[in-house]
Amino acid sequence: MTHSHDDPCAHCEEMMQPYLDHILNAEEVREAEQHLDDCEWCRRRYRFEESLRVYVRQAVSEPMPSGLKKKLAALRIPLN
Ligand SMILES: [Zn+2]
């Protein structure tokens, strides 16, 4: 796995978690959103991550079926 700063998609991916946590500053948000405007691949990744987070937030308030836990573990999504 390489994280080159010359690759806008790699940079975008690095910013994804902080972006979804709303801890980027205004300039970084603008940078990320500018890239998302141009790049359908990253846009999909962000949407996917975002929908997963909503799903996980809902799921933690209810007992989770073990099958779902395994699925989430397979995706390596942090549950907190
Ligand atoms: Zn991209």
Side-chain angles (χ1 to χ4, degrees), residues 20-72:
L20 293 172
D21 286 330
H22 303 289
I23 56 173
L24 293 179
N25 64 37
E27 196 186 319
E28 289 168 325
V29 168
R30 207 161 44 235
E31 210 181 306
E33 285 178 349
Q34 222 164 50
H35 181 78
L36 293 179
D37 274 349
D38 298 338
C39 183
E40 199 191 344
W41 188 76
C42 286
R43 205 154 59 225
R44 282 192 197 166
R45 289 219 48 185
Y46 269 57
R47 273 203 213 122
F48 175 72
E49 283 283 335
E50 198 162 31
S51 62
L52 263 184
R53 284 182 170 224
V54 171
Y55 188 55
V56 168
R57 259 199 303 277
Q58 287 168 348
V60 291
S61 60
E62 294 161 25
M64 200 184 287
S66 64
L68 176 59
K69 258 188 204 166
K70 272 184 206 151
K71 263 187 220 165
L72 289 173

Side-chain angles (χ1 to χ4, degrees), residues 9-22:
C9 288
H11 183 52
C12 195
E13 193 168 341
E14 278 169 27
M15 292 204 294
M16 181 158 57
Q17 299 302 332
Y19 178 86
L20 293 172
D21 286 330
H22 303 289

